């Protein structure tokens, strides 16, 4: 089965695909394969990046993956931008990571920053959904 080109009438589709997951083994391989397949089928990618140093390091690996996919499978793939997430304005770390990301990827960083939400992180431990 081959994907057909999208038409102007079609809406944007958001594919959430994991890459450098903390899980290992078969799950990680399957998740990365889904992520690669999503990039091969996409016209653009928005990269969410947590405001943590390891995420900044992992971003370089993801950008190399995108470069390889462009070269081998999808020359039209474009990076729409990098979205900083889990930003905690009270910590120096979040500000340092945001500054470093802006220094190296100035044109790609969205101005919007998604703040860290403690209640969102606690919801599963109380058996609550994140949306009501």
């Amino acid at each position: 089965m081959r994907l057909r080109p999208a038409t102007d009438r079609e809406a944007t589709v958001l594919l959430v695909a994991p890459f450098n997951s903390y899980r290992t083994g078969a799950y990680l391989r399957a998740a990365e394969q889904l992520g690669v397949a999503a990039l091969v089928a996409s016209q653009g990618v928005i990269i969410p990046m947590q405001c943590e140093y390891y995420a900044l390091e992992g971003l370089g690996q993801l950008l190399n993956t995108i470069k390889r996919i462009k070269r081998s499978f999808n020359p039209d793939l474009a990076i729409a931008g990098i979205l900083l997430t889990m930003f905690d304005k009270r910590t120096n770390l979040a500000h340092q990571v945001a500054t470093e990301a802006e220094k190296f990827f100035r044109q790609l960083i969205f101005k919007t920053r998604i703040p860290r939400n403690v209640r969102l992180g606690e919801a599963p431990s109380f058996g609550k959904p994140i949306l009501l």
Side-chain angles (χ1 to χ4, degrees), residues 20-38:
N20 296 326
S21 176
Y22 60 88
R23 295 182 177 101
T24 59
Y27 172 83
L28 180 59
R29 287 189 297 278
E32 286 182 349
Q33 287 174 353
L34 288 173
V36 168

Side-chain angles (χ1 to χ4, degrees), residues 2-131:
R2 290 185 57 93
L3 293 174
R4 63 176 174 70
T7 66
D8 291 337
R9 298 178 333 151
E10 294 169 333
T12 299
V13 177
L14 179 64
L15 299 173
V16 179
F19 271 89
N20 296 326
S21 176
Y22 60 88
R23 295 182 177 101
T24 59
Y27 172 83
L28 180 59
R29 287 189 297 278
E32 286 182 349
Q33 287 174 353
L34 288 173
V36 168
L39 290 174
V40 169
S42 298
Q43 292 177 329
V45 59
I46 295 173
I47 301 170
M49 189 189 89
Q50 292 181 10
C51 288
E52 303 282 342
Y53 269 114
Y54 287 130
L56 190 58
E57 290 179 10
L59 181 60
Q61 295 172 353
L62 179 57
L63 294 173
N64 285 334
T65 299
I66 290 170
K67 198 180 299 182
R68 287 195 311 266
I69 289 171
K70 283 182 72 149
R71 187 173 47 240
S72 300
F73 303 109
N74 184 357
D76 297 327
L77 180 62
I79 298 173
I82 299 170
L83 179 63
L84 299 178
T85 65
M86 298 182 76
F87 182 81
D88 188 343
K89 65 182 178 183
R90 300 169 298 173
T91 67
N92 288 333
L93 176 62
H95 289 283
Q96 290 171 349
V97 170
T99 300
E100 288 294 311
E102 289 168 350
K103 185 165 75 173
F104 289 106
F105 308 106
R106 180 177 310 274
Q107 302 299 329
L108 294 175
I109 301 292
F110 288 113
K111 289 185 172 133
T112 301
R113 294 177 181 174
I114 306 300
R116 180 179 296 274
N117 186 326
V118 174
R119 288 187 181 160
L120 181 67
E122 292 174 344
S125 67
F126 294 111
K128 301 285 185 189
I130 59 172
L131 298 174

